[in-house]
Each structure stands twice: as C-alpha cells, then as structure tokens.
Amino acid sequence: MKRVLKCVKCGREYPVDVPRYRCDCGGLLDVKITKEKKDDFPHLKEIWERRKCSSKPIDQSGVWRFRELVYPFKEDEIVTFPEGKTNLYKLPAYLLDVRALYAKHEGENPTGSFKDRGMTIGISFAKKFGYKMVTCASTGNTSAALAAYAARAGLKAVVFIPEGKIAFGKLSQALAYGAKTLQIQGDFDDAMKAVQEVAAKHRIYLLNSLNPIRLEGQKTIMIHTLEQLNWNIPDWFVLPGGNLGNTTAFGKALMELKEFGIIDRVPRLAVIQAKNANPFYLAYKNGFKEFKPVKAETVATAIRIGNPVNYEKAKRSILYTKGVVEEVSDREIMIAKSQTDRLGIGCEPASAASLAGAKKLRKKGIIKKEDTVVILLTGHLLKDPGATTDFHLGKMEGIPKSAINMPEKIENDPIKIEDKIKEILQE
Ligand SMILES: *Cc1c(COP(=O)(O)O)cnc(C)c1O
Ligand SMILES: [Zn+2]
C-alpha cells in the first residue's frame, strides 16, 4: 500500500511522512492510499476479525485493529489507551419508525468522545517525528483527548478554547491531564485561526481535524460499525456536523472500502447541524454553489462552529454517498438527548443532533420506513453535566413537562419518606 498527501484542490502530492497541513496552493490535503500488488485486501475482514482474540493493545484497539487502512506504524510507535472499543446498540422502535435503528456510541472512548480515534494516530505521529509539543483549538473534546494522549506520550500540550463556552466535563479533563489551557477571548473560529498561526511559526504539531492524519483514525468509526453489522450495509449513517471532520473521514472510509473490494455498496450520510450553526446546511441547500461562514450559537457546544475547515472534503462525502444535510433546533436536540439518556445510554447535546435529525428526515419521508439507520453518538453524557441538569431542572424553554425528571426535596422524616415511596410505587 502506498500513501501520499494529496491536495484536494490542485492534485499536487507531498510525502506523507513530512508533517504538513495544507498544500502550497492553500488547498486541503488528503492521505491518498493506493493499492499495491502485494496487498491482500479480500482477506482484511478475516485478519481484523482474528485480531479480536489477541491481547496486544494494538489488536485490542478499535483503531489499530484496522491498521492497514490507518497508518503503518511499528507497534512500539503507537500511543494508545487502547481506544475505539465502542458498542453498537439496537434502539427501540418507538424512537424512529424504521426497519432497524442502531446507535454507535463513541462516548464510550477512553476520554469520552470519538476524538480519541484521531488523537491516537495524531500523537503517535507527533512522537515519531520528534515533536516536543502539540496543540489544537477546540470546543472541548479535542483538547480533552489531546491532553490525555500527550500526557501518555510525555509530550507538552497547549490547547486554545473559546472563553466561557466550553462544557465543564471537557475543561476539567484538559486541566486534569495537564495541558496548558488558553481561554481565548472569542469563539471557536477565532481560536482556530490563532492556533494555525502559532503552528506555522513554531515547531509545534497541530492536531485539529484540518490535520489529514487525524482523520485517518476517525475513518475507523465507519469501518468498525460496518463490521459490527456483519458487513450488512445500512441505508443511512446519521451524524452531527461541526468542523466536518467525521463527515470527511466517513466519506473517505467508504470510498476506500469500496475501491478495495471490501464492501460493494455504501450507506447514505445524513449530516445534522444545529439551526444557528448551520453553514454546511445552507451550502447544501443552494446546491453547494456557495459557502458562507455564519456566527454560530447553539446549546450543542461541540458543533458550535461557524466556519468548518473541512468544508470542501465534506462536500465530496455528501456527493459521493448521495447524502443529505439537515438542521435541527436546540429544543429538538435536547428532547432527542433526553430520549437516548432515558435508555441508559446517554450522550452530550451535540451527539443527540443525530437522533433529532433522523426523526426530522423520517418525518419528511427522506428516511423511509423500510430503511436501516445508524445514528452516531459522538460524546458521553458526563461531558456536559450543565446542559443535562438545566434541562431536568426546568431551566430550558419549550421542553414538555413529561420529558423532565426534576429532583424533589424531601424532609428527613421517616413518615414523609414512607408516604413518598408509596406514592412512587403507585405511579
Ligand atoms: C468534535 C465533535 C463533534 C463534531 O464533529 P466534526 O467531525 O467536527 O463535525 C460532534 N460531537 C462531539 C461530541 C464532538 O466532540
Ligand atoms: Zn494544491
């Protein structure tokens, strides 16, 4: 297998093992994988299956078990926790009237989000190429993952986060894992700009999803899910869209799996954005003729992004999979979240955009009754405890009482407690 970095705009190629984030022309880069004669692609499924019986961390990892399509590191070069051993859950039919509904729960990763899948390859790369320091701009989860993997690799980490608009679970992780945390006075898009300037000037490895290497790890969300479905290809894969790294990675994974003869058809991607953070949706609506950044605002802080860096590559994924882009309100997001939470599965607000979007697409008849649907849950419930408690304390507008599970105060009096328990038993 041969790998080069290839510009998606002008096609120019660069070596994959010399760190670089953009082409000289300014275009985004992709890791282009080409098959060589000796590659044994038809047997990859069996090789991946067999590794499940191995106790080596790189075989246990839900990223490195698929290493042929990730990166050819030597075993001792890989920094892993090991990540990516996440479950695919069948969800009850009342949630969505389709043939079958599954949730891929990436909140089950070591730091609680799918970002670990990109970070294991990103940090391994930084270490192999002798970087002493790594950085990213983040709405929270990338910085949590970066901080953890940098700590494991013994690298210094500095993260840029937007002031005030970061969920507490994520901030606490970055601090606890020891990353130098810079709260920039601005939003995510400002932080993203600042970090690119810093990385251009100093020998610091930049690990945003602009980094094409990171997305090679995120491809395994798709590969792993298809494997969990015994390679029965679903009709839809529904995911939230922020910086559009996953949208890019999933399209790329599907192109490669198909090209290498591992699958023979692909699911349609449905990318869901929050209503006031919806530049990709707006571009989709005008047939991708024009892209305009927006000023982003939503309760789903992980997708509170107005100028997604991966726009061009994400567009390619939508076109390739005959995908769609939809938008949902914060209210729809929070109600969908309460429904996944009630199953004992749970997720952070941004993740629930996928269920909210799937419902909307089903209502419009775009997702059909006979379809099989996978929704992606991107982050763990505990990432944003504030959003969950605000919801259940009745602090959010327009939420039906029936969805709220308000705590009740009770006197420390055995009779009152007994009465209350009897009341609950009868509910
Ligand atoms: C990063 C993140 C997203 C957005 O993913 P993109 O690949 O940037 O579109 C969504 N949900 C959660 C929980 C995230 O951490
Ligand atoms: Zn170029």
Side-chain angles (χ1 to χ4, degrees), residues 255-298:
M255 284 177 220
E256 289 169 358
L257 290 171
K258 185 127 186 292
E259 186 191 333
F260 301 152
I262 297 165
I263 57 174
D264 54 15
R265 68 181 195 99
V266 302
R268 297 175 72 182
L269 296 182
V271 176
I272 316 299
Q273 294 210 292
K275 239 177 197 148
N276 292 317
N278 61 352
F280 194 49
Y281 171 75
L282 295 176
Y284 168 77
K285 272 296 185 199
N286 70 36
F288 292 122
K289 281 203 275 298
E290 192 188 16
F291 172 76
K292 269 205 234 124
V294 303
K295 188 89 196 145
E297 194 49 77
T298 167

Side-chain angles (χ1 to χ4, degrees), residues 6-12 14 22-29:
K6 184 168 178 183
C7 174
V8 298
K9 212 158 127 195
C10 75
R12 186 162 166 195
Y14 302 89
R22 281 189 191 272
C23 177
D24 286 342
C25 83
L28 294 170
L29 297 170

Side-chain angles (χ1 to χ4, degrees), residues 121-132 134 155 205 207:
I121 175 170
I123 294 287
S124 303
F125 211 82
K127 196 177 140 207
K128 180 176 166 99
F129 294 102
Y131 283 87
K132 296 284 181 284
V134 290
L155 302 178
Y205 195 52
L207 275 165

Side-chain angles (χ1 to χ4, degrees), residues 74-127:
K74 295 194 195 85
E75 189 175 342
D76 61 356
E77 292 172 338
I78 292 175
V79 182
T80 179
F81 268 108
E83 53 294 304
K85 295 184 284 185
T86 62
N87 289 295
L88 182 71
Y89 296 105
K90 186 130 201 270
L91 299 188
Y94 70 80
L95 280 181
L96 197 69
D97 179 28
V98 289
R99 184 196 303 269
L101 176 65
Y102 298 90
K104 175 66 168 165
H105 196 359
E106 287 294 302
E108 295 177 341
N109 272 296
T111 79
S113 86
F114 72 82
K115 299 295 196 303
D116 293 348
R117 291 190 188 252
M119 216 44 82
T120 180
I121 175 170
I123 294 287
S124 303
F125 211 82
K127 196 177 140 207

Side-chain angles (χ1 to χ4, degrees), residues 365-392:
I366 296 170
I367 291 181
K368 304 226 157 32
K369 189 176 167 53
E370 62 270 19
D371 287 348
T372 295
V373 179
V374 177
I375 59 167
L376 177 68
L377 302 179
T378 44
H380 196 280
L381 185 146
L382 290 176
K383 286 288 194 170
D384 191 349
T388 307
T389 46
D390 281 355
F391 180 93
H392 287 293

Side-chain angles (χ1 to χ4, degrees), residues 70 89 148 152 158 193 197 252 278-279 347 350 363 381 384:
V70 181
Y89 296 105
R152 190 152 173 83
V158 56
K193 231 168 115 198
E197 280 162 22
K252 186 168 189 285
N278 61 352
C347 63
K363 212 178 243 170
L381 185 146
D384 191 349

Side-chain angles (χ1 to χ4, degrees), residues 263-427:
I263 57 174
D264 54 15
R265 68 181 195 99
V266 302
R268 297 175 72 182
L269 296 182
V271 176
I272 316 299
Q273 294 210 292
K275 239 177 197 148
N276 292 317
N278 61 352
F280 194 49
Y281 171 75
L282 295 176
Y284 168 77
K285 272 296 185 199
N286 70 36
F288 292 122
K289 281 203 275 298
E290 192 188 16
F291 172 76
K292 269 205 234 124
V294 303
K295 188 89 196 145
E297 194 49 77
T298 167
V299 65
T301 51
I303 51 173
R304 190 172 169 272
I305 294 173
N307 190 13
V309 288
N310 286 302
Y311 172 72
E312 282 300 329
K313 293 201 271 186
K315 179 173 103 181
R316 180 183 66 184
S317 296
I318 294 296
L319 297 176
Y320 177 71
T321 66
K322 300 188 174 62
V324 299
V325 186
E326 186 53 270
E327 61 170 7
V328 291
S329 68
D330 279 5
R331 193 178 148 272
E332 291 170 306
I333 288 176
M334 289 309 291
I335 290 173
K337 170 175 148 56
S338 74
Q339 292 181 317
T340 44
D341 290 354
R342 281 283 279 126
L343 298 169
I345 292 174
C347 63
E348 66 166 284
S351 313
S354 22
L355 179 59
K359 283 172 181 244
K360 197 159 176 185
L361 292 169
R362 177 69 193 92
K363 212 178 243 170
K364 288 184 173 175
I366 296 170
I367 291 181
K368 304 226 157 32
K369 189 176 167 53
E370 62 270 19
D371 287 348
T372 295
V373 179
V374 177
I375 59 167
L376 177 68
L377 302 179
T378 44
H380 196 280
L381 185 146
L382 290 176
K383 286 288 194 170
D384 191 349
T388 307
T389 46
D390 281 355
F391 180 93
H392 287 293
L393 293 172
K395 291 185 187 168
M396 283 182 188
E397 262 171 54
I399 305 296
K401 274 229 161 62
S402 59
I404 292 177
N405 183 22
M406 180 116 47
E408 277 179 57
K409 286 215 168 82
I410 187 159
E411 260 175 69
N412 190 6
D413 169 350
I415 297 169
K416 294 248 166 74
I417 294 173
E418 180 59 21
D419 287 349
K420 191 74 208 172
I421 293 298
K422 280 186 184 144
E423 191 189 310
I424 296 168
L425 280 169
Q426 267 155 32
E427 266 169 20

